[in-house]
């Protein structure tokens, strides 16, 4: 019988499902040494956020086939090590959607009616009704930043409260927004129009806060801010200044940049309603997560596909031989397309040329989608959940196949069409290394990760710009970067066979990302335009 180790607390409803089919070893609070010893004979491991599932632990379980995370994030699991060992990693991403959405509504209502302060006042023996005059939400405008699962659920609930809902999310379609009753707008317009701003976006560890001094200054005076998503989305010092200046009417925070938020001055601020990361802390969410992860874990052990898988399942040998080497090409083109494009997303076209066009390209499509999402979301894409991810985002993806890829054996082109135009990248495999060979019709040569070695190092950054094809432009850009103390690792200047204008495209691999001000310095060079950058 298969054996599953459950190393942290799991609702009894989930444990009961497991015990019907497998042997369950449920032991919370194991030491590291005990955990390593216990995993040796297990086919499955179920954890929450407190267990560090690193390469050492994975390699201590030679019989492991599946790792389940009873929750949404998988930051505590080494996905690369798991994939290398053929282990499928699962999560329960949607289990807390309703709970997080309802908490958002609860915080908003409490903030607008001063319920926390009124409760504290009454418990202190006071009866001061006039001190807690609130405001109705009906007829007000709510701005939703991020229309993912939770953001969409919040939008539907705000509709029931008769609020006008607008949303900012460049990575969903207008049809998707309309389906939840929201109007898509750009972030500055959302901030200027909203009486309430609620955040439901992801945030990468090294990204700048989405809401900083400029954004607070653009918000409607007296607006309310709610954050149940990620603490890093907000510049907390700028939030404190906005509250002190009374630019904001108040803020409700369930998440903080550093947790636990002991000593955070925002917690004690009189116009801040603070809770200790309670988004998933409901009995129903805990039960749902436990049931979901138990059910999906058993599916994997039975050899069935799971919609909860966050790393790609193994590809059969025949397909792997043909398209496997090009997975890194597809991911690289998607990743760069997201970062180089601007405007509201509309359509995505994937064009497969050459030898790969004779095979099932579904794994390549999954890698393109994974690349498109990587810079903007912590969602994971694989062969079994790709259609759900695409439908959830409201993306329109079309695919084309062409037999001829001259002068290459095979190429993949990703074209991302937005309200601002189209951004396209063509990639191929050269000497075992994923390479971009065309950007928006301009011939270039940008090398990424070697096949089988994973992603390129995080310190590689790409700077792309168009420049007039006349002497001195390359030197001007190089000198400007030198003055900014930025090293150039590689440079390529390409021309377009289809563009009769006297413009070239310059692609530089540089040592670090440029700030907004530094991008402006490059863009100000005579004959230079359309400066953008990406992390490879």
């Amino acid at each position: 019988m298969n054996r599953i180790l459950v190393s942290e607390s799991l609702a009894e409803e989930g444990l009961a499902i497991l015990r019907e089919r497998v042997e369950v070893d449920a032991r919370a609070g194991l030491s590291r040494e005990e955990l390593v010893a216990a995993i040796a004979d297990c086919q499955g491991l179920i954890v929450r956020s407190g267990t560090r599932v690193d390469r050492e632990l994975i390699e201590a379980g030679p019989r492991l086939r599946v790792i389940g995370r009873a929750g949404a994030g998988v930051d505590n699991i080494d996905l690369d090590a798991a994939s290398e060992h053929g282990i499928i990693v699962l999560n329960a991403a949607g289990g807390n959607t309703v709970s997080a959405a309802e908490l958002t509504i609860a915080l908003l209502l409490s903030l607008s009616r001063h319920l926390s302060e009124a409760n504290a006042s009454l418990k202190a023996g006071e009866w001061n009704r006039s001190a807690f005059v609130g405001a109705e939400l009906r007829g007000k405008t709510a701005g939703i930043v991020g229309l993912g699962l939770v953001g969409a659920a919040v939008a539907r609930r705000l509709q029931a409260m008769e609020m006008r809902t607008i949303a900012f999310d460049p990575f969903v379609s207008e049809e998707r927004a309309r389906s939840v009753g929201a109007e898509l707008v750009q972030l500055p317009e959302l901030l200027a129009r909203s009486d309430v701003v609620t955040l439901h976006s992801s945030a990468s560890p090294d990204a700048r806060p989405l809401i900083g001094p400029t954004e607070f200054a653009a918000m409607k005076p007296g607006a309310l801010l709610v954050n149940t998503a990620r603490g890093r989305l907000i510049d907390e010092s700028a939030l404190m200044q906005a509250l002190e200046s009374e630019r904001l009417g108040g803020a409700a925070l369930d998440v903080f940049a550093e947790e636990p938020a002991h000593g955070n001055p925002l917690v004690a601020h009189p116009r801040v309603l603070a809770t200790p990361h309670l988004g998933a802390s409901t009995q129903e969410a805990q039960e749902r997560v436990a049931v979901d992860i138990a059910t999906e874990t058993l599916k994997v052990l039975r050899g069935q596909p799971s919609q909860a898988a966050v790393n790609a399942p193994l590809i059969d040998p025949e397909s792997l031989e043909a398209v496997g080497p090009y997975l890194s090409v597809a991911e690289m083109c998607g990743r760069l397309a997201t970062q180089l494009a601007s405007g509201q997303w509309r359509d995505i076209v994937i064009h497969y040329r050459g030898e790969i066009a004779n095979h099932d390209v579904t794994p390549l499509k999954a890698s393109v989608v994974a690349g498109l999402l990587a810079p903007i979301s912590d969602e994971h894409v694989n062969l079994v959940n790709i259609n759900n991810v695409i439908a959830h985002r409201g993306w329109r993806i079309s695919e084309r196949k062409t037999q001829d890829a001259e002068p290459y054996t095979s190429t993949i082109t990703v074209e991302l069409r937005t309200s601002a135009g189209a951004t396209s990248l063509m990639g191929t495999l050269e000497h075992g290394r994923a390479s971009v060979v065309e950007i928006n019709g301009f011939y270039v040569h940008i090398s990424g990760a070697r096949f089988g070695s994973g992603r390129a190092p995080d310190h590689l950054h790409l700077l792309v710009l168009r420049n007039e094809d006349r002497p001195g432009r390359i030197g001007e850009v190089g000198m400007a970067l030198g003055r900014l103390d930025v090293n150039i690792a590689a440079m390529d200047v390409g021309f377009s066979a289809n563009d009769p204008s006297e413009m070239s495209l310059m692609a530089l691999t540089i040592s670090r990302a440029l700030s907004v001000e530094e991008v402006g310095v490059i863009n100000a060079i005579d004959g230079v335009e359309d400066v953008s950058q990406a992390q490879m």
Side-chain angles (χ1 to χ4, degrees):
M1 178 179 290
N2 287 320
R3 180 181 177 87
I4 294 180
L5 174 64
V6 181
S7 65
E8 297 180 66
S9 62
L10 192 71
E12 185 58 37
E13 290 80 0
L15 291 173
I17 292 173
L18 293 173
R19 288 177 178 135
E20 291 179 357
R21 301 286 183 179
V22 298
E23 181 181 349
V24 178
D25 181 7
R27 285 189 286 165
L30 293 175
S31 67
R32 179 68 177 183
E33 293 74 19
E34 292 170 332
L35 187 62
V36 169
I39 201 67
D41 295 325
C42 294
Q43 286 75 26
L45 170 65
I46 293 179
V47 302
R48 298 182 70 87
S49 60
T51 301
R52 180 167 53 90
V53 188
D54 55 13
R55 184 176 294 274
E56 178 193 24
L57 184 60
I58 288 171
E59 292 179 348
R63 303 175 67 186
L64 271 180
R65 294 169 52 196
V66 58
I67 299 171
R69 162 71 164 92
V74 290
D75 295 344
N76 57 317
I77 301 174
D78 189 330
L79 294 179
D80 291 335
S83 297
E84 288 174 16
H85 289 78
I87 301 168
I88 294 179
V89 178
L90 313 173
N91 71 347
N96 66 350
T97 298
V98 172
S99 293
E102 289 186 354
L103 177 65
T104 300
I105 301 300
L107 291 174
L108 176 55
L109 288 168
S110 182
L111 191 63
S112 65
R113 296 301 299 272
H114 310 296
L115 300 185
S116 178
E117 303 97 308
N119 176 66
S121 172
L122 186 58
K123 288 181 180 296
E126 301 172 348
W127 186 269
N128 192 355
R129 297 172 62 191
S130 62
F132 305 111
V133 177
E136 290 185 352
L137 295 174
R138 186 182 69 166
K140 300 292 183 12
T141 297
I144 304 171
V145 179
L147 272 184
L149 292 174
V150 177
V154 169
R156 287 190 288 266
R157 285 156 177 78
L158 293 176
Q159 292 288 306
M161 295 167 59
E162 301 182 63
M163 295 191 74
R164 292 185 294 269
T165 52
I166 58 178
F168 167 70
D169 191 331
F171 313 109
V172 301
S173 65
E174 294 177 355
E175 291 84 353
R176 168 63 176 170
R178 283 196 295 268
S179 72
V180 297
E183 171 196 358
L184 280 181
V185 298
Q186 295 302 307
L187 184 58
E189 181 180 351
L190 180 145
L191 297 173
R193 289 175 54 187
S194 298
D195 301 290
V196 174
V197 175
T198 177
L199 306 182
H200 304 286
S201 180
S202 60
S204 59
D206 56 348
R208 292 182 177 183
L210 183 64
I211 308 296
T214 301
E215 289 72 29
F216 283 119
M219 290 178 69
K220 180 183 289 190
L224 304 179
L225 176 67
V226 181
N227 187 14
T228 59
R230 301 286 191 277
R232 293 189 301 271
L233 288 171
I234 296 176
D235 181 331
E236 293 185 341
S237 62
L239 172 57
M240 179 63 78
Q241 293 175 7
L243 290 166
E244 289 294 313
S245 67
E246 299 187 0
R247 179 75 188 184
L248 285 185
L253 308 174
D254 185 51
V255 288
F256 300 86
E258 297 291 337
E259 296 181 357
H262 299 313
N264 190 320
L266 286 171
V267 174
H269 196 280
R271 285 196 297 279
V272 171
L273 173 58
T275 51
H277 207 145
L278 300 179
S281 296
T282 64
Q283 180 179 345
E284 292 83 358
Q286 297 303 308
E287 292 176 358
R288 194 157 47 238
V289 163
V291 169
D292 288 350
I293 203 64
T295 302
E296 297 302 315
T297 298
L298 292 178
K299 281 184 181 180
V300 173
L301 292 178
R302 291 196 298 265
Q304 299 172 344
S306 169
Q307 294 290 341
V310 298
N311 62 338
L314 296 177
I315 305 170
D316 65 86
E318 182 178 354
S319 297
L320 180 61
E321 183 178 358
V323 306
Y326 287 86
L327 296 176
S328 58
V329 177
E331 196 270 350
M332 181 181 181
C333 288
R335 176 186 293 267
L336 294 180
T338 292
Q339 297 176 81
L340 297 179
S342 61
Q344 194 70 44
W345 287 24
R346 290 179 176 169
D347 299 286
I348 301 160
V349 179
I350 308 172
H351 197 160
Y352 313 97
R353 295 180 175 90
E355 175 63 24
I356 58 174
N358 298 318
H359 299 274
D360 181 0
V361 294
T362 303
L364 296 175
K365 179 181 179 181
S367 290
V368 169
V369 173
L372 289 166
L373 279 174
I376 60 173
S377 173
D378 52 9
E379 288 184 75
H380 299 272
V381 184
N382 55 58
L383 297 179
V384 297
N385 73 354
I386 179 173
N387 290 330
N388 281 356
V389 170
I390 292 171
H392 161 60
R393 293 273 171 178
W395 287 352
R396 295 190 297 261
I397 298 182
S398 59
E399 297 175 277
R400 302 173 183 170
K401 289 186 175 183
T402 302
Q403 299 300 316
D404 183 20
E406 290 293 336
Y408 305 102
T409 302
S410 296
T411 65
I412 301 168
T413 300
V414 177
E415 181 180 356
L416 177 55
R417 299 173 180 174
T418 74
S419 59
T423 300
S424 68
L425 293 100
M426 177 189 291
T428 190
L429 201 67
E430 293 184 332
H431 308 293
R433 189 180 296 274
S435 300
V436 171
V437 294
E438 189 176 302
I439 298 178
N440 294 334
F442 288 86
Y443 302 129
V444 295
H445 191 278
I446 304 166
S447 293
R450 185 176 299 278
F451 171 60
S453 67
R455 295 176 178 172
D458 289 341
H459 64 273
L460 290 181
H461 298 271
L462 181 67
L463 184 68
V464 178
L465 55 93
R466 285 174 38 132
N467 62 281
E468 294 180 1
D469 189 15
R470 57 185 173 88
R473 298 313 88 202
I474 295 175
E476 288 282 352
V477 171
M479 287 190 294
L481 289 173
R483 289 191 292 269
L484 295 173
D485 196 28
V486 176
N487 189 45
I488 301 174
M491 172 187 286
D492 194 68
V493 179
F495 66 93
S496 172
N498 302 318
D499 188 353
S501 67
E502 297 180 353
M503 298 295 292
S504 298
L505 187 137
M506 195 183 304
L508 306 96
T509 303
I510 56 179
S511 57
R512 65 171 176 83
L514 303 184
S515 68
V516 174
E517 294 76 18
E518 290 171 333
V519 169
V521 170
I522 304 300
N523 210 35
I525 297 173
D526 182 40
V528 169
E529 59 185 46
D530 297 337
V531 181
S532 56
Q533 60 179 335
Q535 182 170 307
M536 298 170 61

